[in-house]
Amino acid sequence: MGFQKGSIRKSSDPVVVEDIGDVDYTETWHKQAQQAADRADGKAPDTVWMLQHPSTYTAGKRTQDSDRPTNGLPVVDVDRGGRITWHGPGQLVAYPIIALADPVDVVDYVRRLEEALIATCRDFGLPDAGRVEGRSGVWLPAGVLNGRLEPARKIAAIGIRITRGVTMHGIALNCDNTLEYYEHIVPCGLADAGVTSLSKELGREVTVEDVKAVFKSHLLAALDGELQVQAG
């Protein structure tokens, strides 16, 4: 049974979804802030940007010094929640810039993002994709993969900011990106967990282009309440 009913958005107008390609992280962050301000002022519609970033570490507000990279690469300190993560080619990033209905329910919003990601992973053949209690994002449970015992591992990360009722930042779903850069940080501050990708889990190449349309459909359905948030 789902927890929420109906749309979480303030507007009933269609969401504008834009594929903005491969874009610099910091530049896009500043553009997001302007777009969010315009949305709060009623000058822009609800929008979702879908994109990829060049290889970039980003640190949310809860990042600890011990989380930071050991390989000497720079880090962008950013105004989203959460701790440190990596973005790069082969990872689908989506930034919903959405005016939320009052009263703003942050937990409901995050759960809807998770549900869209879970549905996407399951569509591609990962029926065990789901949540881990007390941790955001989407996970695969501990188990044997390719003959090796693997810990619980994160396949999609979520980090958001809500200002004046408008969302910023969003999700990152690992498709066919390298996992090497995660080895030099404590991803999301979780030293006891692994990181994975759709391609690694499925044993075949699954690209960002393969995933975009499926995720878009699930995201819009989750925001509008057509995809119900499930327990667990």
Side-chain angles (χ1 to χ4, degrees):
M1 178 174 294
F3 292 123
Q4 93 294 7
K5 294 181 180 179
S7 176
I8 198 170
R9 300 194 296 124
K10 180 176 291 188
S11 172
S12 60
D13 293 336
V15 178
V16 177
V17 181
E18 300 179 3
D19 184 344
I20 63 173
D22 301 330
V23 291
D24 177 77
Y25 183 87
T26 302
E27 181 181 342
T28 307
W29 172 25
H30 296 316
K31 288 181 178 178
Q32 270 195 85
Q34 182 60 57
Q35 181 78 6
D38 288 346
R39 180 67 192 94
D41 291 336
K43 299 177 181 177
D46 284 343
T47 305
V48 176
W49 291 347
M50 301 182 75
L51 57 121
Q52 296 183 69
H53 287 306
S55 183
T56 310
Y57 288 120
T58 75
K61 293 182 289 186
R62 294 176 49 245
T63 300
Q64 306 296 310
D65 287 344
S66 57
D67 300 339
R68 291 178 179 270
T70 58
N71 57 4
L73 293 181
V75 178
V76 179
D77 289 280
V78 68
D79 58 352
R80 61 166 171 78
R83 292 169 75 168
I84 198 164
T85 193
W86 173 84
H87 294 307
Q91 181 188 72
L92 173 61
V93 175
Y95 294 143
I97 306 169
I98 302 290
L100 298 179
D102 294 321
V104 170
D105 188 334
V106 178
V107 173
D108 183 17
Y109 175 64
V110 171
R111 293 293 174 264
R112 292 183 193 225
L113 295 183
E114 288 173 346
E115 199 66 35
L117 289 161
I118 290 167
T120 301
C121 291
R122 291 178 176 177
D123 278 358
F124 277 90
L126 297 176
D128 294 332
R131 298 178 175 84
V132 171
E133 187 174 355
R135 294 179 170 180
S136 71
V138 176
W139 296 78
L140 277 300
V144 176
L145 177 66
N146 299 325
R148 293 180 54 187
L149 182 61
E150 297 280 357
R153 51 217 181 272
K154 197 171 197 175
I155 195 166
I158 295 174
I160 67 164
R161 176 180 174 86
I162 298 175
T163 303
R164 298 172 63 198
V166 176
T167 64
M168 278 182 58
H169 303 290
I171 68 93
L173 173 59
N174 292 338
C175 297
D176 63 343
N177 50 285
T178 179
L179 301 175
E180 173 190 359
Y181 289 93
Y182 291 106
E183 297 173 5
H184 303 284
I185 59 173
V186 181
C188 304
L190 302 173
D192 61 340
V195 181
T196 192
S197 68
L198 287 168
S199 295
K200 179 179 178 180
E201 295 294 322
L202 295 166
R204 58 184 172 85
E205 185 179 54
V206 180
T207 68
V208 170
E209 289 300 322
D210 294 331
V211 174
K212 279 179 186 174
V214 176
F215 176 71
K216 171 187 171 181
S217 176
H218 287 312
L219 176 62
L220 296 180
L223 292 173
D224 286 339
E226 296 164 12
L227 176 65
Q228 289 284 299
V229 173
Q230 304 298 312

